Amino acid sequence: MAVRKKFHQFIFPSPTPKAIIRMVLVALSAYLFFGHICIPLRIKGSSMEPTYGDKSINFCWRLRYIFSAPLQHDLVLVRFAGNRVMLLKRVVALEGETVEFRGGKLFVDGVEVDEPYVRYPCNWNLPPRRVKKDCVYVVGDNRNMSIENHNFGQASIKRIAGAPLW
Amino acid sequence: MVKGKHVILTVFVVVVGILAGVFCFQSEGKKIKKQFRLLSKQASKDHHENNFTTARKARDISKLFAEQCEFRAHITSISGSHTRQEISELAARARLPFSRLSIRFYDLHIEFSEKKTARVTVTAQASGTLRGGDLVDDTLELECSLQKHDDKWLFTAIEVVEVLEK
């Protein structure tokens, strides 16, 4: 009974100055954490299938690339003007490397890249192009669509907002 | 006592000045946000829209733009300088294939560069259904220039920012 009362008091505290300060601190921490550090995401679309399905839930971990740069095969979130809408993509090439698609196969610097995460058939052809300085080349895992309908390409590292939490 | 009154009066004047400054600055930002809200409202379309409403909306969209507005986009057909009349026609043509269309703006960053000139970076999301039933979902980053004419902020330039460069 005492435990239940304590639990009730913890969840619905009396409006004492201490409880109000605690509530303000909790609200502020939640705002900072979920608004700027670990942003909730609802994935929309099928460009990352089967790794991430349409309408699945995840978080953008903003601290992922504070002390390091994205590497090949990393999953990243590319921001637009802000953090409300982001693109979830996979890094396939880094700055200075040459990217090419031949018969659906990815080639980086002329060497075919093994991509176990690509499960669906792909027939893309893209002439070679060099990734610019301070940029990474990102593509979705689902390439079972025409190359024109898939949103991919090189993005500035400054646009990498973070990585999905899982 | 007289000295104390002076201090209180000075503090009061400073506080009122700061509040007035903040209010004036916000009000310009709010006016710009209102223009984006209006653009979103006028550009969006539902299943029940009749021809009269379509024509009125196309005309109302053009009223949000200056007499000449510059479009810079990778879609060459709309790039260039357009008059209000041309914008009205472009808007009508762009909305025609849709049975339902929703345009939303997120993450508005407003910079007041010169007097009566503002630069806005924004994420624009268009989602809708074509008359044939196909779904459309596209997100763009836009850099917009607005100028103040008769207490109204009008679009003078819109540039599509290439987030992913193929």
Side-chain angles (χ1 to χ4, degrees), chain A residues 124-152:
Chain A
W124 290 5
N125 285 300
L126 186 79
R129 60 215 49 222
R130 188 174 287 275
V131 183
K132 290 178 189 166
K133 194 177 182 298
D134 296 326
C135 288
V136 287
Y137 208 89
V138 296
V139 189
D141 288 355
N142 182 6
R143 300 169 200 169
N144 188 21
M145 56 183 79
S146 75
I147 197 164
E148 291 80 22
N149 292 337
H150 192 98
N151 211 352
F152 70 97

Side-chain angles (χ1 to χ4, degrees), chain B residues 92-123:
Chain B
R93 270 210 304 276
R95 294 173 81 248
L96 191 65
F98 291 93
S99 60
R100 188 192 62 80
L101 177 65
S102 161
I103 307 280
R104 288 183 178 189
F105 296 104
Y106 302 99
D107 296 319
L108 271 90
H109 297 282
I110 305 168
E111 278 176 45
F112 293 95
S113 46
E114 293 165 38
K115 199 183 174 190
K116 295 185 175 182
T117 306
R119 198 172 176 82
V120 182
T121 312
V122 65
T123 306

Side-chain angles (χ1 to χ4, degrees), chain A:
Chain A
M1 197 65 186
V3 174
R4 200 176 155 186
K5 198 178 169 186
K6 267 192 172 179
F7 180 73
H8 188 271
Q9 181 64 27
F10 181 78
I11 300 293
F12 305 106
S14 311
T16 58
K18 200 178 159 187
I20 290 168
I21 290 169
R22 198 179 77 199
M23 279 192 279
V24 168
L25 284 175
V26 167
L28 198 67
S29 311
Y31 169 74
L32 288 174
F33 188 73
F34 292 112
H36 298 276
I37 297 169
C38 192
I39 305 166
L41 299 171
R42 189 170 66 89
I43 296 164
K44 200 173 158 188
S46 59
S47 77
M48 280 304 289
E49 282 182 358
T51 315
Y52 295 101
D54 185 23
K55 292 173 187 161
S56 54
I57 302 290
N58 210 311
F59 290 85
C60 170
W61 182 242
R62 299 286 320 271
L63 309 180
R64 175 69 181 83
Y65 296 114
I66 283 191
F67 300 111
S68 64
L71 300 171
Q72 194 186 30
H73 305 306
D74 275 6
L75 289 154
V76 293
L77 285 143
V78 182
R79 66 162 182 81
F80 286 88
N83 295 329
R84 285 286 301 274
V85 186
M86 292 186 262
L87 293 169
L88 176 57
K89 298 285 168 191
R90 191 181 293 274
V91 175
V92 296
L94 307 173
E95 69 167 63
E97 293 180 329
T98 306
V99 191
E100 180 186 4
F101 279 99
R102 246 184 277 157
K105 302 280 182 199
L106 170 71
F107 289 81
V108 174
D109 288 336
V111 180
E112 189 181 333
V113 179
D114 180 37
E115 294 184 288
Y117 40 80
V118 178
R119 303 275 173 85
Y120 303 142
C122 168
N123 59 359
W124 290 5
N125 285 300
L126 186 79
R129 60 215 49 222
R130 188 174 287 275
V131 183
K132 290 178 189 166
K133 194 177 182 298
D134 296 326
C135 288
V136 287
Y137 208 89
V138 296
V139 189
D141 288 355
N142 182 6
R143 300 169 200 169
N144 188 21
M145 56 183 79
S146 75
I147 197 164
E148 291 80 22
N149 292 337
H150 192 98
N151 211 352
F152 70 97
Q154 51 185 305
S156 165
I157 286 178
K158 285 179 192 163
R159 284 194 178 272
I160 307 291
L165 204 56
W166 58 80

Side-chain angles (χ1 to χ4, degrees), chain B:
Chain B
M1 192 64 188
V2 174
K3 202 178 174 185
K5 272 184 182 174
H6 282 167
V7 170
I8 291 168
L9 194 67
T10 309
V11 169
F12 177 75
V13 167
V14 167
V15 168
V16 167
I18 291 169
L19 287 177
V22 168
F23 178 76
C24 287
F25 179 75
Q26 277 184 343
S27 69
E28 292 306 322
K30 277 180 184 171
K31 280 177 190 169
I32 289 173
K33 283 180 183 172
K34 190 185 161 196
Q35 293 301 84
F36 278 91
R37 269 201 306 277
L38 281 172
L39 183 58
S40 163
K41 191 182 164 192
Q42 303 296 358
S44 298
K45 184 178 184 179
D46 63 24
H47 291 289
H48 313 291
E49 190 175 291
N50 57 37
N51 292 344
F52 176 75
T53 312
T54 302
R56 183 184 52 78
K57 281 192 163 187
R59 196 188 59 228
D60 288 350
I61 287 170
S62 71
K63 283 181 187 169
L64 300 170
F65 292 80
E67 277 306 327
Q68 284 285 334
C69 183
E70 180 86 17
F71 286 95
R72 290 183 288 269
H74 48 270
I75 312 161
T76 48
S77 62
I78 66 156
S79 286
S81 186
H82 297 277
T83 62
R84 271 190 182 159
Q85 180 61 34
E86 286 168 341
I87 290 166
S88 177
E89 287 162 15
L90 275 172
R93 270 210 304 276
R95 294 173 81 248
L96 191 65
F98 291 93
S99 60
R100 188 192 62 80
L101 177 65
S102 161
I103 307 280
R104 288 183 178 189
F105 296 104
Y106 302 99
D107 296 319
L108 271 90
H109 297 282
I110 305 168
E111 278 176 45
F112 293 95
S113 46
E114 293 165 38
K115 199 183 174 190
K116 295 185 175 182
T117 306
R119 198 172 176 82
V120 182
T121 312
V122 65
T123 306
Q125 196 172 44
S127 55
T129 314
L130 294 171
R131 286 182 195 273
D134 290 337
L135 297 175
V136 173
D137 199 341
D138 202 6
T139 308
L140 297 169
E141 182 177 316
L142 304 177
E143 258 185 32
C144 309
S145 294
L146 291 97
Q147 228 164 28
K148 201 175 177 185
H149 292 279
D150 302 330
D151 209 38
K152 263 190 181 175
W153 286 95
L154 301 174
F155 291 90
T156 54
I158 296 180
E159 183 178 356
V160 177
V161 178
E162 208 170 15
V163 174
L164 297 181
E165 189 191 323
K166 277 186 181 172

